[in-house]
């Protein structure tokens, strides 16, 4: 009879990880973290929170859609804004009518989200860990207390670039739509005989929405020329991977989602470029997307990308940085081309 991974001793877990490494070539510390990531997703989406949470970001591209060859310890999750501040949004409405209203909504989200994480999410995960008899700890983190860290006892260690912690980063200024339920399994699933692993069925953001969120984020970076924390280069890697996937054409042709992302960020994520001018998201998705930086911004991005490669975060054969930039330049050109009306419409 198969044994559950978490029911094994630390020594047996190490042996399982080594067997999986031999079959996949993937580092043991990343295979181990993957198990904790999937377990955490399962615990959240088997709870009462399931219908109001959306799993998004790079990890969703890897785990749900199998698009990218990159591992991420971060779980990006959106809690439906209509649930957190429904008294302000008026139920179905979730975009503010003015900058002033957007400011009020943003403040309300920042005020309420930490309490929701502490009083709703943390107890659910704590109870799930106790029921599963897992020796892990939870910690509220982030300058706005919008993150929950799950620290687990590592059987295997990496270089230190990725520590034994699953980071749950929550947002609540959107609905997470469009989204759908997608089954998720561990990377070691079916690779080691006699052992079963956690599974999950999260509500996952569409690839098109994830594409445009990442594309506009990289556009802002190019306009500002500054990295916001470590592992920021993951966005360019993910965009290039989407471009090489069957989802790319649908993503860049989905003008409704592109516009929705731009409008949403225009309300909630107002940014200024190096000259102090407000960045126009609408223009970015309608033909003026720029995702390839230059100068010092390009050098900083290259350094961050090199660190990701050093710790083997890229599971497959990662593109050399200069090649990655060429692919992203082509991506931007195609995305900008898709935004233009057909020739017969331009002539009328």
């Amino acid at each position: 009879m198969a044994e559950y991974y978490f029911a094994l001793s630390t020594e047996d877990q190490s042996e399982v990880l080594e067997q999986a490494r031999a079959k996949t070539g993937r580092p043991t510390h990343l295979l181990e973290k993957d198990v904790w990531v999937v377990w955490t997703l399962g615990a959240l989406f088997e709870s009462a929170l399931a219908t109001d949470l959306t799993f998004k970001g790079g990890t969703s591209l890897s785990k749900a859609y199998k698009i990218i060859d990159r591992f991420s310890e971060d779980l990006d999750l959106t809690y439906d804004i209509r649930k957190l501040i429904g008294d302000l949004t008026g139920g179905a409405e979730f975009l503010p009518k003015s900058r002033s209203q957007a400011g009020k909504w943003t403040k309300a989200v920042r005020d309420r989200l930490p309490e929701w994480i502490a009083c709703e999410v943390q107890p659910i995960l704590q109870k799930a860990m106790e029921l599963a008899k897992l020796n892990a700890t939870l910690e509220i983190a982030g300058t706005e207390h919008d993150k929950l860290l799950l620290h687990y006892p590592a059987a295997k260690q990496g270089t230190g670039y990725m520590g034994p912690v699953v980071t749950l980063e929550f947002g609540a200024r959107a609905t997470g739509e469009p989204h759908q339920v997608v089954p998720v399994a561990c990377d070691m699933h079916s690779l080691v005989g006699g052992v079963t692993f956690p599974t999950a069925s999260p509500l996952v953001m569409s690839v098109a929405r994830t594409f445009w969120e990442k594309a506009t984020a990289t556009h802002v970076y190019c306009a500002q020329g500054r990295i916001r924390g470590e592992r920021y280069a993951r966005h360019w890697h993910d965009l290039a991977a989407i471009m090489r996937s069957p989802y790319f054409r649908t993503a860049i042709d989905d003008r409704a989602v592109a516009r929705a992302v731009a409008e949403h960020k225009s309300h909630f994520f107002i940014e200024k470029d190096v000259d102090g001018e407000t960045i126009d998201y609408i223009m970015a998705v309608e033909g003026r997307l720029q995702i390839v930086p230059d100068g010092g911004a390009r050098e900083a991005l290259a350094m961050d990308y090199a660190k990701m490669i050093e710790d083997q975060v890229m599971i497959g054969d990662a593109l050399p940085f200069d090649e990655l930039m060429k692919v992203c330049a082509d991506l931007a050109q195609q995305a900008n081309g898709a935004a233009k009306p057909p020739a017969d419409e331009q002539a009328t």
Side-chain angles (χ1 to χ4, degrees):
M1 184 176 178
E3 281 196 85
Y4 187 49
Y5 175 82
F6 283 123
L8 300 174
S9 67
T10 301
E11 292 75 14
D12 287 342
Q13 287 180 5
S14 295
E15 177 59 29
V16 168
L17 292 167
E18 288 294 343
Q19 289 183 43
R21 180 199 59 76
K23 292 182 178 180
T24 64
R26 299 178 181 180
T28 53
H29 70 288
L30 296 187
L31 289 167
E32 180 179 27
K33 178 166 283 188
D34 177 69
V35 178
W36 285 94
V37 164
V38 177
W39 180 87
T40 304
L41 275 175
L44 284 176
F45 285 91
E46 288 171 6
S47 75
L49 301 176
T51 57
D52 300 324
L53 275 180
T54 299
F55 175 36
K56 65 174 187 173
T59 310
S60 74
L61 294 179
S62 172
K63 298 303 301 177
Y65 295 110
K66 308 297 183 183
I67 290 175
I68 64 173
D69 289 328
R70 171 179 70 76
F71 185 81
S72 173
E73 83 274 35
D74 297 331
L75 289 176
D76 291 328
L77 298 149
T78 289
Y79 182 53
D80 195 327
I81 187 174
R82 297 167 296 191
K83 297 294 183 178
L84 187 66
I85 59 168
D87 55 316
L88 299 180
T89 65
E93 195 67 36
F94 65 92
L95 281 181
K97 294 181 172 61
S98 65
R99 180 170 293 189
S100 174
Q101 189 178 60
K104 291 179 181 178
W105 287 13
T106 296
K107 184 179 184 304
V109 167
R110 286 175 174 164
D111 289 344
R112 299 182 193 183
L113 188 60
E115 182 179 1
W116 174 77
I117 293 171
C119 298
E120 298 290 336
V121 183
Q122 188 169 3
I124 284 173
L125 287 179
Q126 185 64 50
K127 183 178 180 179
M129 290 191 304
E130 291 171 359
L131 288 173
K133 299 180 180 179
L134 299 182
N135 183 24
T137 59
L138 296 169
E139 174 193 2
I140 301 291
T143 55
E144 296 183 4
H145 304 292
D146 57 354
K147 296 180 181 181
L148 187 60
L149 307 183
L150 188 153
H151 298 275
Y152 61 88
K156 295 291 183 179
Q157 295 289 344
T159 65
Y161 187 73
M162 279 195 173
V165 56
V166 177
T167 301
L168 292 80
E169 185 167 357
F170 293 93
R173 283 180 277 184
T175 65
E177 300 167 315
H179 51 203
Q180 61 183 332
V181 174
V182 182
V184 168
C186 294
D187 290 345
M188 294 190 289
H189 173 69
S190 77
L191 289 180
V192 181
V195 181
T196 60
F197 299 92
T199 58
S201 295
L203 194 61
V204 188
M205 182 177 285
S206 73
V207 175
R209 177 99 193 192
T210 300
F211 171 83
W212 285 110
E213 290 203 350
K214 285 181 174 289
T216 49
T218 55
H219 179 84
V220 169
Y221 174 76
C222 291
Q224 296 179 334
R226 60 189 178 93
I227 283 183
R228 301 187 175 189
E230 295 180 330
R231 298 182 279 279
Y232 206 67
R234 68 189 186 274
H235 296 306
W236 283 260
H237 175 271
D238 294 352
L239 286 172
I242 293 174
M243 182 181 176
R244 298 192 299 270
S245 79
Y247 296 91
F248 179 59
R249 194 72 243 173
T250 301
I252 65 172
D253 286 343
D254 197 331
R255 311 313 307 166
V257 167
R259 184 85 184 191
V261 169
E263 290 178 347
H264 182 264
K265 288 195 172 185
S266 295
H267 286 294
F268 290 110
F269 298 94
I270 299 171
E271 298 282 358
K272 293 186 176 181
D273 61 22
V274 291
D275 298 320
E277 298 294 325
T278 300
I279 295 172
D280 191 331
Y281 291 106
I282 301 295
M283 295 295 289
V285 303
E286 293 189 350
R288 296 189 183 180
L289 181 69
Q290 180 184 355
I291 65 174
V292 178
D294 52 25
R298 185 184 180 108
E299 293 175 5
L301 190 64
M303 290 177 62
D304 188 61
Y305 188 70
K307 289 179 182 178
M308 291 181 65
I309 293 176
E310 181 182 358
D311 201 46
Q312 297 178 279
V313 176
M314 312 301 191
I315 296 172
D317 294 327
L319 292 173
F321 181 75
D322 288 343
E323 182 63 25
L324 175 66
M325 292 296 99
K326 289 179 182 178
V327 170
C328 287
D330 183 26
L331 181 154
Q333 184 177 25
Q334 291 193 48
N336 289 335
K340 296 176 182 177
D344 58 341
E345 290 185 19
Q346 295 182 38
T348 57

